[in-house]
Amino acid sequence: MAVTSTPALELERVSRHFEGRAVLSGISLAIAPGQIVCLLGQSGCGKSTLLRIIAGVDRPDPGGCIRMDGVEVTGPGRFVQPEERRIGFMFQDFALFPHLSVAENLGFGLHRLPAAERRARVAEVAGRIGIQHLLDCHPHSLSGGEQQRVALARALAPRPAILLMDEPFSNLDQGLREKVRRDTIEALRRSGTTAIIVTHDPQEALAVADLIVLMRAGRIEQTGTPFQIYDHPQSVYAAEFMGPCNRLTGIWSEGRIRTPIGTFAAALDLPEGALAVACIRPQALSIGPDGQGISARVVAKTFTGESEQIDIMVHPLARPLRMHSHTRIPMAVGEKVSLQLNGAQIHVFADDGAGECPEDS
């Protein structure tokens, strides 16, 4: 018989309303010890509110329940104060104390420990994060990446059961962001810390998470591993949010969606003649010389360094299809080509009548 551990964090039917507006609606979620979880979604979807409720700095509506290691911390008649929850919080702006040294910042949350034990703990966490050489410095003298590592070390110093991180890498430049993010995740995995990271960036979530929780308008749209949520989206919204898609509307007939560029099977229970939607990843498309597939024409090409983005017009579509290629495409703008499709990157859904997933502001 398989042995299952108690979840590090468990939420049941957590809701939150502000002035009659639902910000969170019936959130239920279980997080295993040591998991790195990304709460992913557009601004205003409720992910930061959920983080505050987990931390205990905001209270959910009556009726929901939150448990840590099987112990109820929020529920009917019970509310454990934030300082008693063993939860660490890493802020977007780092929130380091400018008048304190790095060592003093790291030791700030350890005031209950004897002085010698506090110094030992500061030295231990500084060594683990690799900032021993910064202990006598003050925050103003540090780079953005160094401040990020100090903030992480301070959050880990009290040995939190769960670390909450709200957009922790968004203030860093792109190149530095990727390095600091990689170093941070490695440190969390070495320490075995359960972490919940809020982000609006699907690429970041795919890169760091063991589990992605995609949120939409206060609800969970889909939960899964990065591979599951990208390769097997459960809705048009999830497919488009996790990466670029060409959306085609077609007619459902005999277990397939019929579109102007082909028919694609899917395991859907739809009535004959119903509208369905095919979401086609750009990498599902390829082109070759004219006469070897679906007749098309190149209408635009954009070189991005790692790949080439190519827009292809196919009659009778109203707008071009977009493809990505990591090899150089010799066809010029205006040239006739043939279009081929890789069905593994085509996802089919019932038409929910919604528009395309908007970009995050």
Side-chain angles (χ1 to χ4, degrees), residues 328-350:
R328 302 292 182 262
I329 299 296
M331 290 76 172
V333 172
E335 188 171 343
K336 289 185 178 181
V337 294
S338 290
L339 178 68
Q340 292 93 34
L341 295 95
N342 170 13
Q345 293 288 335
I346 299 174
H347 308 291
V348 180
F349 308 97

Side-chain angles (χ1 to χ4, degrees), residues 45-67:
C45 72
K47 54 190 187 296
S48 292
T49 298
L50 183 58
L51 210 68
R52 292 195 297 271
I53 286 175
I54 293 170
V57 297
D58 191 7
R59 298 196 184 207
D61 297 343
C65 177
I66 301 175
R67 288 184 286 271

Side-chain angles (χ1 to χ4, degrees), residues 3-10 30-35 67-72 162 194:
V3 177
T4 58
S5 60
T6 301
L9 180 71
E10 193 171 10
I31 296 173
Q35 261 192 328
R67 288 184 286 271
M68 292 181 59
D69 292 326
V71 178
E72 189 174 284
I162 299 173
T194 305

Side-chain angles (χ1 to χ4, degrees), residues 209-223:
D210 299 315
L211 183 74
I212 295 175
V213 180
L214 176 60
M215 298 183 64
R216 179 187 186 189
R219 299 180 182 273
I220 293 177
E221 181 78 9
Q222 185 174 346
T223 302

Side-chain angles (χ1 to χ4, degrees), residues 127-163:
R128 185 190 306 165
I129 305 302
I131 56 170
Q132 310 95 310
H133 60 296
L134 302 177
L135 288 175
D136 294 328
C137 299
H138 281 72
H140 67 83
S141 67
L142 306 180
S143 68
E146 289 170 337
Q147 291 183 27
Q148 176 84 15
R149 286 189 282 271
V150 172
L152 174 64
R154 186 180 65 179
L156 292 176
R159 293 192 176 98
I162 299 173
L163 178 60

Side-chain angles (χ1 to χ4, degrees), residues 8-267:
L9 180 71
E10 193 171 10
L11 288 76
E12 290 185 4
R13 303 180 307 279
V14 171
S15 298
R16 184 69 168 99
H17 287 72
F18 289 111
E19 299 178 350
R21 181 175 67 90
V23 178
L24 295 173
S25 300
I27 300 294
S28 294
L29 178 67
I31 296 173
Q35 261 192 328
I36 296 176
V37 176
C38 278
L39 300 181
L40 174 65
Q42 297 171 355
S43 298
C45 72
K47 54 190 187 296
S48 292
T49 298
L50 183 58
L51 210 68
R52 292 195 297 271
I53 286 175
I54 293 170
V57 297
D58 191 7
R59 298 196 184 207
D61 297 343
C65 177
I66 301 175
R67 288 184 286 271
M68 292 181 59
D69 292 326
V71 178
E72 189 174 284
V73 295
T74 299
R78 179 168 173 78
F79 182 82
V80 176
Q81 295 297 323
E83 61 271 18
E84 302 298 329
R85 294 193 180 197
R86 290 190 60 222
I87 285 181
F89 210 114
M90 187 169 167
F91 298 94
Q92 183 176 0
D93 60 358
F94 311 149
L96 300 175
F97 299 110
H99 61 290
L100 300 182
S101 69
V102 168
E104 291 167 334
N105 266 279
L106 266 57
F108 185 81
L110 306 175
H111 58 276
R112 295 182 181 180
L113 298 179
E117 191 174 341
R118 184 166 60 247
R119 287 193 297 271
R121 179 61 183 154
V122 166
E124 175 194 340
V125 73
R128 185 190 306 165
I129 305 302
I131 56 170
Q132 310 95 310
H133 60 296
L134 302 177
L135 288 175
D136 294 328
C137 299
H138 281 72
H140 67 83
S141 67
L142 306 180
S143 68
E146 289 170 337
Q147 291 183 27
Q148 176 84 15
R149 286 189 282 271
V150 172
L152 174 64
R154 186 180 65 179
L156 292 176
R159 293 192 176 98
I162 299 173
L163 178 60
L164 308 180
M165 308 169 76
D166 194 355
E167 301 276 5
F169 311 111
S170 61
N171 286 339
L172 301 174
D173 294 335
Q174 178 63 31
L176 181 60
R177 179 161 65 244
E178 292 180 2
K179 182 182 186 308
V180 172
R181 185 175 66 199
R182 183 174 60 249
D183 292 345
T184 299
I185 297 305
E186 288 178 358
L188 292 174
R189 295 200 187 284
R190 285 196 304 269
S191 66
T193 302
T194 305
I196 303 175
I197 303 173
V198 161
T199 182
H200 66 276
D201 183 353
Q203 296 304 310
E204 181 167 273
L206 291 170
V208 307
D210 299 315
L211 183 74
I212 295 175
V213 180
L214 176 60
M215 298 183 64
R216 179 187 186 189
R219 299 180 182 273
I220 293 177
E221 181 78 9
Q222 185 174 346
T223 302
T225 67
F227 287 115
Q228 288 170 340
I229 207 164
Y230 185 85
D231 292 340
H232 306 287
Q234 295 175 358
S235 65
V236 174
Y237 184 88
E240 292 185 333
F241 196 94
M242 297 310 299
C245 284
N246 297 289
R247 178 197 285 214
L248 295 180
T249 300
I251 302 299
W252 185 256
S253 177
E254 299 178 345
R256 305 174 72 87
I257 179 176
R258 301 185 182 278
T259 78
I261 63 170
T263 62
F264 313 109

